Amino acid sequence: MKNNYILCLLAFLTALAVPAQDGNSCLNAIPVTNSIYTVGVINGAQTSTICTTSTTDTANNAEWYLYTAAANFTVQISSNLSQNAGADTRLHVYSGTCGSLSCVTGNDDVSTNNFTSTVTFAATAGESYLIAWDDRWSDAGFEFQISVTAPTPPAAFAFTINSLTTAGDNRATVDMNGDGLDDTVSVGASNISINYQTATGFNNVNIPTSNVANRPYWSLAAADYDGNGFTDLLYGGGSGVTFMKANDTGTAFTEISGSEYVFSQRSNFIDINNDGHLDAFVCHDVAPNVYYLNDGNGNLNFHQGSDANGVPTGLGLVANGGNYGTVWIDYDNDRDMDLFIAKCRGGSTNAKINELHRNNGDGTFTNVAAMPGVNLADPIQTWSTAWADYDNDGDMDLFIGASSFSNGGHKMMQNNGDGTFTDITASMGPDIGELGTDIENVPADFNNDGHIDILTDGNIMANNGDGTFTRFTANIPANGAIGDLNNDGYLDVLNANNLHLNDGGTNNYLKIRLVGTQSNKNGIGARIEVNSSILGPQIREIRSGEGFRYMGSLNAHFGMASDTIVDIVIYWPSGAVSTLNGQTVNRLMTITEPNTTASLVDSQDNELLIYPNPVGTTLHLQLPTFHENMTYSVFDINGRRVLNAPLTSKTVEVGSLNKGLYFIRILDNNRLLVKKFFKN
């Protein structure tokens, strides 16, 4: 009897807290499931891949666990338990294998006065996740709990329709006067009608213009390309391109129309050659694409196809075009902007094959869509694609919306984090099969739950946070321009003369407006990472021109659910990096770009060593760690980035550089390692 009692008691205690036989290395991680576990002491092998943004330095030791999801669950791992009062922990969660770990999420402090750790993430059925608790702050023991819940489908969306005073075709919801508030823009043959957003509503101003050569029937893009503080416009017309340049008070526009024939489709503003000045890009339906390089004085010079004085490798060289929808994105996480071209052409022609142009970091681009594993050289007829981090794993995925089913249907392509993509359309759920053909596909978090949805021609494909999507059609706006038009933190849609105001809810939000100094004024091309305790990491990019026709907000919008404190990292097009920790939510933040040269200071430790120095052609690196998520940048003495690429080996070729002094910077997650070198 006594022995049975002891056995029962031991079983009971085990159910309460599973005692550790702690995993002292990644390869010997202890399998865990939904329960409470005890960490005796942290004395195992350290983790060198850090998944937290508030603290990025490595630890001496770690303890390792392995969780395998039995179904699609929302998983929470937490040391924020009453028995751990006063404990200071740091937690990292990875996917992949021990030799190739990829961060899923991580957390140092639950809040500024609670130093325990909590993460929540969407786990995929059958996938395994490695958990590491490190001793960055303490090697003392504690307990942690793993709990799961099935993802809750989002509630139905609700919008209230308001009429607007406009004159012309409604095309944009973008800040026109630099106050951070999204305005509406409508364009007529000889006018621009702007509804300036104020604290009490809209102030409608009708600005007369010349009788413009090209109306934006096909697309409109917007940005401050001359840096005077007021937004300029790009009209993509059926026979040419017109720029409308705002004056220094925003009260008038000057028409700049070229004589070149361009059957315009999607248009964008983007700094193609990364010289700090915004250029313009326009899809050509029946010929190679065109682009306009900014000379730094506000003059935009026309280029088409491959041009030794422009982009040497060209950006869409198919003779008969087929170019419809472009999105500039950083798909390979090397902190420069690549280009995806959605193609639409029937029949047997290469004008219908989608293209992905990788930015090589040296002023050239390479179409990699057909390379092994990339899987993006599709013949799907599509007018636009929606690029976003749908699974919140730190890289950009894409939804390809078919405009005809004759060459294939809608697809969801998941970024594998190594430059390749996997078709996961089947896992989106049955609602994907209910979508018809469409031309507008735009990503946005309409319910502020921290998971990006898709607006596609009168449907919202709501992201459930577990890889599946639920289709909503009732009371959903048709395609239109997206922005926050009443400054309540929820995204609205402008369609025809109707403003569809999002009724919102109780979820928190964060909006970020960038002001470039070395980069372009709007920070177009910047990557913003926001990390919070429950939602984990989210990323956004500042883009001018998404979907097919409309122009949305240049503010980055983050749904924060119940999270209230965030850490922010911004990667500017210039190469500058901004880090802001412990920021509050439910507000619009304006963040100004720091000076790049101020951050180019030699690392004072021996974590990065380089040789030879001076160097001729090949620079060798000695690094404490080496993994696939590292990138390098080379800056000249003036702080201008001259080389940029993923770090694929421990050598960097610098033979193309002129003689002089340079800095090499290694980006290891959010850690920066810098060394100065002289090029012979």
Side-chain angles (χ1 to χ4, degrees):
M1 291 290 292
K2 183 176 180 180
N3 287 338
N4 289 340
Y5 172 79
I6 292 173
L7 290 173
C8 290
L9 178 61
L10 287 174
F12 174 73
L13 293 174
T14 299
L16 290 178
V18 179
Q21 197 179 46
D22 293 329
N24 283 330
S25 71
C26 179
L27 291 173
N28 294 310
I30 299 298
V32 291
T33 183
N34 314 323
S35 188
I36 298 177
Y37 294 86
T38 298
V39 179
V41 62
I42 298 177
N43 59 5
Q46 69 171 340
T47 172
S48 56
T49 303
I50 306 303
C51 299
T52 54
T53 57
S54 56
T55 51
T56 58
D57 42 346
T58 58
N60 294 321
N61 300 101
E63 297 300 325
W64 294 84
Y65 300 87
L66 181 67
Y67 174 80
T68 301
N72 289 335
F73 285 135
T74 296
V75 178
Q76 183 178 86
I77 306 171
S78 179
S79 62
N80 186 21
L81 307 174
S82 59
Q83 58 267 42
N84 293 332
D88 195 346
T89 60
R90 192 169 72 163
L91 167 64
H92 315 278
V93 179
Y94 307 99
S95 60
T97 61
C98 292
S100 180
L101 295 175
S102 297
C103 286
V104 174
T105 185
N107 181 236
D108 189 355
D109 299 333
V110 170
S111 67
T112 55
N113 56 9
N114 184 341
F115 303 143
T116 59
S117 309
T118 299
V119 297
T120 302
F121 63 98
T124 303
E127 293 293 321
S128 294
Y129 301 87
L130 284 154
I131 302 164
W133 296 92
D134 72 30
D135 68 343
R136 173 62 186 86
W137 302 111
S138 171
D139 61 4
F142 59 92
E143 293 184 0
F144 70 92
Q145 182 175 26
I146 300 178
S147 55
V148 302
T149 56
T152 302
F157 298 89
F159 293 84
T160 299
I161 300 176
N162 290 261
S163 296
L164 278 180
T165 301
T166 60
D169 301 316
N170 289 322
R171 286 292 182 263
T173 53
V174 66
D175 177 13
M176 293 296 291
N177 57 359
D179 64 358
L181 299 176
D182 291 327
D183 310 307
T184 76
V185 180
S186 303
V187 175
S190 57
N191 77 294
I192 296 174
S193 177
I194 302 175
N195 278 294
Y196 290 103
Q197 187 180 167
T198 71
T200 57
F202 289 105
N203 177 29
N204 180 255
V205 176
N206 191 64
I207 301 174
T209 68
S210 59
N211 193 2
V212 296
N214 304 290
R215 295 269 294 278
Y217 289 122
W218 292 97
S219 70
L220 184 143
D224 181 7
Y225 77 81
D226 59 352
N228 69 349
F230 292 91
T231 299
D232 313 299
L233 304 174
L234 186 168
Y235 295 176
S239 58
V241 176
T242 289
F243 296 93
M244 299 299 289
K245 188 175 180 181
N247 67 4
D248 290 344
T249 60
T251 57
F253 290 85
T254 299
E255 177 189 354
I256 304 170
S257 296
S259 59
E260 301 86 6
Y261 170 71
V262 182
F263 189 171
S264 306
Q265 301 296 313
R266 176 73 261 177
S267 53
N268 317 95
F269 279 108
I270 183 69
D271 186 356
I272 295 175
N273 53 9
N274 202 37
D275 62 356
H277 307 293
L278 277 178
D279 313 303
F281 184 90
V282 183
C283 276
H284 203 314
D285 191 351
V286 296
N289 290 323
V290 304
Y291 51 97
Y292 302 78
L293 295 182
N294 191 331
D295 65 2
N297 297 312
N299 301 309
L300 296 168
N301 299 310
F302 176 84
H303 297 267
Q304 185 171 24
S306 183
D307 189 328
N309 297 315
V311 178
T313 48
L315 293 166
L317 301 178
V318 176
N320 56 338
N323 309 294
Y324 271 59
T326 44
V327 185
W328 288 84
I329 38 85
D330 177 14
Y331 83 93
D332 54 0
N333 280 1
D334 64 354
R335 307 304 187 259
D336 56 29
M337 298 303 277
D338 314 294
L339 172 66
F340 184 82
I341 305 174
K343 309 276 280 188
C344 187
R345 188 63 55 81
S348 178
T349 170
N350 60 353
K352 68 180 181 181
I353 306 299
N354 294 338
E355 300 178 10
L356 176 65
H357 293 262
R358 182 186 65 212
N359 189 332
N360 299 320
D362 60 0
T364 66
F365 292 77
T366 301
N367 181 14
V368 299
M371 287 188 175
V374 178
N375 296 324
L376 296 183
D378 284 312
I380 298 171
Q381 294 187 49
T382 176
W383 287 36
S384 64
T385 56
W387 283 79
D389 184 9
Y390 294 108
D391 51 5
N392 284 1
D393 67 347
D395 48 43
M396 292 295 174
D397 316 299
L398 78 152
F399 174 74
I400 304 173
S403 57
S404 165
F405 292 146
S406 59
N407 292 104
H410 311 301
K411 292 178 71 173
M412 176 65 79
M413 302 297 292
Q414 183 180 63
N415 193 326
N416 298 321
D418 59 0
T420 66
F421 293 81
T422 299
D423 184 350
I424 60 166
T425 309
S427 68
M428 288 183 69
D431 285 6
I432 184 69
E434 299 299 317
L435 289 176
T437 56
D438 51 53
I439 66 172
E440 292 282 353
N441 304 280
V442 184
D445 184 357
F446 284 104
N447 55 7
N448 285 355
D449 66 352
H451 304 292
I452 300 178
D453 314 306
I454 305 168
L455 178 64
T456 172
D457 268 358
N459 305 268
I460 288 181
M461 293 295 288
N463 188 339
N464 298 322
D466 64 346
T468 66
F469 288 74
T470 300
R471 177 176 175 243
F472 289 89
T473 59
N475 194 34
I476 303 300
N479 50 341
I482 300 173
D484 183 3
L485 291 167
N486 57 357
N487 199 32
D488 67 349
Y490 279 80
L491 291 172
D492 313 303
V493 180
L494 177 66
N495 173 264
N497 289 326
N498 293 321
L499 173 57
H500 298 256
L501 289 176
N502 192 331
D503 291 350
T506 60
N507 283 336
N508 297 323
Y509 70 91
L510 180 67
K511 296 187 295 183
I512 296 177
R513 169 180 174 253
L514 299 186
V515 178
T517 54
Q518 299 170 100
S519 304
N520 62 84
K521 187 78 170 181
N522 302 115
I524 291 169
R527 164 75 67 89
I528 302 175
E529 298 182 358
V530 166
N531 196 40
S532 57
S533 61
I534 297 176
L535 289 172
Q538 298 185 62
I539 61 175
R540 301 288 188 273
E541 294 170 341
I542 306 300
R543 304 171 183 162
S544 174
E546 292 195 88
F548 179 76
R549 172 171 288 132
Y550 300 97
M551 175 70 207
S553 178
L554 287 171
N555 296 332
H557 173 269
F558 294 85
M560 298 310 307
S562 61
D563 283 353
T564 58
I565 302 294
V566 300
D567 296 333
I568 302 169
V569 180
I570 302 167
Y571 300 95
W572 298 82
S574 68
V577 179
S578 297
T579 302
L580 301 93
N581 293 330
Q583 301 297 308
T584 58
V585 300
N586 291 333
R587 60 179 174 134
L588 169 68
M589 294 181 66
T590 297
I591 301 174
T592 301
E593 181 180 16
N595 191 322
T596 307
T597 55
S599 66
L600 295 177
V601 179
D602 265 11
S603 301
Q604 295 303 304
D605 49 40
N606 291 325
E607 287 192 291
L608 171 63
L609 298 176
I610 62 175
Y611 66 92
N613 191 7
V615 63
T617 58
T618 303
L619 192 65
H620 294 260
L621 311 176
Q622 287 187 1
L623 295 159
T625 60
F626 181 73
H627 54 83
E628 64 184 15
N629 293 324
M630 301 174 76
T631 62
Y632 76 88
S633 298
V634 175
F635 300 84
D636 64 19
I637 194 63
N638 298 313
R640 183 171 182 265
R641 187 166 61 181
V642 293
L643 292 176
N644 186 74
L647 190 64
T648 57
S649 71
K650 294 183 180 181
T651 61
V652 173
E653 297 303 317
V654 296
S656 62
L657 300 178
N658 295 324
K659 182 178 180 180
L661 187 64
Y662 295 89
F663 295 86
I664 184 167
R665 187 187 71 193
I666 307 299
L667 177 61
D668 182 2
N669 291 318
N670 292 324
R671 184 174 57 162
L672 305 177
L673 303 174
V674 180
K675 285 294 180 183
K676 187 188 319 181
F677 70 93
F678 189 85
K679 167 66 170 63
N680 282 327

